[in-house]
Amino acid sequence: MTTDPDRVATARALLDHLGLTAADLTWSNRPAVPTVAEYLPAVVAAASPGTRRTYGSSWRRMAAALGDRRIDAVRASDLEALMRQAAAGARPRCNSRDGRHAGEHLIAAARAFYNRAIADGYLTTGDSPAHRVRKPRRLPNTRRALTPDELSDINAAARSGGNDIVLDALLLRLHTETACRRGGALALRLIDLDTDHALICLREKGGTQRWQPITPMLASRLNDHARARGAVVPTDALLRYRNGQPATYRRYDLMWKRIGRQLPWVAVHGISTHWLRHTTLTWVERHFGYAVARAYAGHTDRRGPATTTYIKADLHAVATALAALTGQPHPLAVVPERQAPLYEG
């Protein structure tokens, strides 16, 4: 039977007058649908600290623009308009792509928001407007591995000024040796340092946890640093400011800005802590292969060919790669053929 367009228009007008949607008539058990502003606190409360930090600004943008709209009344075109605004208003940087990353980031945040709404039963997967907006295609990253000379210059610049060169030098050394992420470094506690075996326990994104080899020299310096700055209880933060407070992400921003003022090419290329991770993992992969690099990075995802299931490396292999990378022995390393160290200092 064909549908009468006039009846459809009348029914839609009546539903609009009553503040209902067609879905309200077909899904009677669905809870009352909140507005974006009403639901956002629940999304934030359920998110991990890392997710809140990553998506918080985009969620606030959504609340400011669409806060009075019910979450099921937001259209894909509304979110696409926000994506365009985010891209247009992105802060210009040397490594920016005309706001492409800002737009992609907003859609990712919107999808995280609506994934929570779907899980809570407010919507079905097909109802999510965020999943009907295509993300901007991600362009190849311009990040590359630093050369040994560049890495040496960065470390020298970090030690030549600033209000806490001890902390800055430790951060650079820690990230160069372990290729850890900033969150993993800042989450380190006194109990996460094993000076006997020269290991640290890294807790990073996705709830992953692993023991990562470090040189005995770095293990000793981290222990001395933490205890000299007031770490006593096993759960006290390992990396600390001179006043005894735990270090924060702000320290990284200040450190790289200072290094960029001393080394203009650092600012020009937008070099950051993640470049150290890229540098170390590139070196490990070139000299010890994919399996060791994957373990060194702490990657646990199962994406890719099925054969990656069998490509694994143990803690001793990672320690062996570290010993070759730094030119310093490690108690868990299998003595390898001598390699030229990436960085000595």
Side-chain angles (χ1 to χ4, degrees), residues 36 58-67 79 82 106 109-110 113-114:
V36 171
S58 294
W59 286 341
R60 289 190 292 273
R61 183 188 288 268
M62 288 175 57
L66 307 168
L79 294 177
L82 279 182
L106 187 132
F113 179 96
Y114 275 95

Side-chain angles (χ1 to χ4, degrees), residues 173-294:
R173 184 73 191 195
L174 175 64
H175 286 281
T176 303
E177 285 196 13
T178 67
C180 68
R181 300 174 178 88
R182 296 184 305 169
L186 295 176
L188 287 170
R189 306 161 300 176
L190 199 59
I191 198 174
D192 296 325
L193 175 63
D194 179 354
T195 55
D196 292 332
H197 297 91
L199 298 170
I200 55 171
C201 184
L202 288 172
R203 291 168 287 122
E204 296 189 309
K205 67 178 185 179
T208 62
Q209 181 173 312
R210 72 183 187 279
W211 285 100
Q212 185 81 9
I214 57 176
T215 59
M217 177 193 70
L218 179 58
S220 176
R221 289 181 179 176
L222 285 171
N223 186 58
D224 292 343
H225 165 84
R227 295 189 183 280
R229 297 192 174 189
V232 178
V233 180
T235 54
D236 282 346
L238 197 63
L239 296 167
R240 311 173 77 84
Y241 292 122
R242 289 186 301 173
N243 63 5
Q245 293 299 310
T248 67
Y249 287 95
R250 181 63 176 161
R251 189 66 210 176
Y252 290 95
D253 298 334
L254 294 173
M255 178 181 69
W256 285 111
K257 284 182 180 179
R258 179 171 64 81
I259 294 174
R261 287 193 295 268
Q262 296 177 253
L263 302 173
W265 57 270
V266 168
V268 167
H269 291 284
I271 291 173
S272 64
T273 306
H274 207 75
W275 284 61
L276 302 180
R277 176 174 170 85
H278 190 95
T279 299
T280 298
L281 295 179
T282 297
W283 191 94
V284 171
E285 190 276 331
R286 296 293 188 272
H287 292 85
F288 289 88
Y290 173 76
V292 178
R294 188 169 184 264

